[in-house]
Amino acid sequence: QIPKDPRQRWLRELTALSQQLQQVHPNVLAKILKERTVYQNEEIVVIDKPYGLPVHGGPGIKNCIADVLPILAKMLENMKADPLHLCHRLDKETTGVMVLARSKEAAEKIRLLFKTRQVEKIYWAVVLGDPDPVEGVVEIPIVEKEVQSHQSHYKMTLAPNYRLCPEDGKVVRIRRNRSAESAVTRYRRLAAASACSLLELQPITGVKHQIRVHLAYGLGCPILGDHKYSHWSKLAPQKLPELTLRRLKLEQSKARHLPLHLHAHRLCLPLGQPLDFVCKPPLFFQKTLRKLELDIPKD
């Protein structure tokens, strides 16, 4: 039963997003991924990863990409196809360009390209607020920490090498956290409206949750729908500005249904000649841009 009120319909769509792909048969999931194939040759298969689908399995996860790679390979080639191989990962909630390899050798070659930072990755994100300055580089190491609160949990967080001296306001170097990984993210603002911005992001390094942490804690502009990194000490739905709620036709009590608006928009892979792949943002992302009056730049 589809609600007549467009507000209710939008909410229903948002609520269903993360559950949809956990309830289908693995064969159906493989078929969905086959339909979302954007490129293939003898070495690789490139898919447009849907929202809410984890790359790897885990507790409470019924479906993940890794599990259906043998079925997908057979659907794309023939009954005797070797399973496909993962080359990199995207978070469960991240959508967009994802590369799979047809052989172990190709997978190792591509993993090395990612590791040695030869793959150019461009993401799009809708964030709360406006970054200051509107373009730049965030270069702050990241470390995983346990957050002590009424519900203890682990989060990635910043481990800066510098701090401001309270006496004279000068920047002083502090001792490096041994377990922190260096993390670098380039960003630039593409559009701003409704107390939000659309950013283009280029992660130079590949630390877990890097973009989310750099935006939320480094720039003070958490990604829309990022309920994990919008607060430090608690697990709670993101608090949205009044104007944003009004434009999205949402109440704050329903903000928890907002999905993470982070999309792997483009990937450039130097395999022989450079291969360039682009995926349009998913429908929910495009609808949000329209509701917030954020104009998508014409490529």
Side-chain angles (χ1 to χ4, degrees):
Q1 199 181 339
I2 298 167
K4 285 202 169 57
D5 177 1
R7 288 177 182 228
Q8 289 302 317
R9 214 161 45 230
W10 171 235
L11 191 61
R12 178 80 61 91
E13 277 174 37
L14 295 180
T15 318
L17 261 176
S18 29
Q19 292 144 13
Q20 279 164 349
L21 295 170
Q22 283 306 306
Q23 290 155 354
V24 299
H25 189 278
N27 289 0
V28 177
L29 182 56
K31 194 163 179 275
I32 290 168
L33 296 181
K34 182 190 176 204
E35 284 162 5
R36 298 177 72 101
T37 300
V38 292
Y39 176 86
Q40 52 179 318
N41 64 16
E42 58 290 338
E43 276 195 303
I44 60 170
V45 172
V46 180
I47 59 167
D48 178 2
K49 180 190 164 298
Y51 182 85
L53 182 62
V55 172
H56 298 285
I61 289 169
K62 186 168 166 258
N63 279 332
C64 67
I65 291 177
D67 289 353
V68 297
L69 290 181
I71 313 169
L72 178 60
K74 286 176 182 168
M75 283 183 179
L76 288 171
E77 290 192 66
N78 54 42
M79 293 318 285
K80 290 197 274 292
D82 293 330
L84 291 158
H85 300 262
L86 295 166
C87 303
H88 62 123
R89 48 165 300 165
L90 290 177
D91 286 353
K92 175 185 166 189
E93 293 92 357
T94 307
T95 55
V97 187
M98 188 169 179
V99 182
L100 306 167
R102 289 196 191 273
S103 66
K104 248 196 179 104
E105 299 73 47
E108 276 163 16
K109 186 160 74 175
I110 292 163
R111 279 183 208 132
L112 188 63
L113 290 175
F114 273 98
K115 204 174 168 187
T116 51
R117 302 179 190 174
Q118 294 180 64
V119 180
E120 189 185 336
K121 300 167 285 182
I122 300 289
Y123 286 76
W124 280 3
V126 178
V127 301
L128 298 183
D130 205 5
D132 181 20
V134 292
E135 69 176 277
V137 178
V138 182
E139 188 172 351
I140 309 173
I142 289 174
V143 70
E144 190 159 24
K145 273 191 177 167
E146 186 176 6
V147 180
Q148 302 293 345
S149 66
H150 65 286
Q151 202 181 346
S152 281
H153 57 288
Y154 282 87
K155 264 183 190 166
M156 306 306 284
T157 191
L158 301 177
N161 291 330
Y162 301 89
R163 67 175 173 81
L164 289 177
C165 178
E167 285 81 52
D168 54 12
K170 282 199 177 122
V171 174
V172 289
R173 199 173 174 85
I174 47 182
R175 226 175 80 209
R176 198 176 147 266
N177 184 321
R178 284 246 173 84
S179 44
E181 294 181 75
S182 65
V184 184
T185 310
R186 276 202 189 109
Y187 73 92
R188 84 187 166 100
R189 189 184 71 185
L190 300 176
S194 316
C196 293
S197 304
L198 172 64
L199 303 187
E200 179 187 84
L201 304 143
Q202 188 186 358
I204 309 297
T205 50
V207 180
K208 179 183 169 187
H209 296 175
Q210 172 181 319
I211 292 177
R212 295 166 67 178
V213 172
H214 271 173
L215 291 182
Y217 302 149
L219 284 174
C221 293
I223 297 176
L224 184 66
D226 194 348
H227 308 293
K228 179 166 185 162
Y229 289 107
S230 290
H231 313 273
W232 166 245
S233 58
K234 57 184 177 177
L235 290 167
Q238 189 175 51
K239 186 102 177 61
L240 297 176
E242 214 33 67
L243 176 60
T244 310
L245 286 168
R246 216 166 44 243
R247 290 267 164 89
L248 287 175
K249 298 186 166 49
L250 269 186
E251 293 156 32
Q252 178 56 47
S253 62
K254 302 283 190 262
R256 67 182 185 280
H257 296 300
L258 265 181
L260 183 79
H261 285 66
L262 179 62
H263 174 68
H265 176 59
R266 190 170 151 239
L267 192 141
C268 191
L269 200 58
L271 271 184
Q273 85 274 34
L275 296 169
D276 213 348
F277 309 109
V278 173
C279 285
K280 272 191 350 195
L283 218 50
F284 78 84
F285 196 115
Q286 293 179 43
K287 280 187 177 177
T288 297
L289 291 176
R290 277 201 301 276
K291 285 171 186 284
L292 295 176
E293 297 172 7
L294 288 165
D295 296 326
I296 284 199
K298 300 279 179 277
D299 279 353

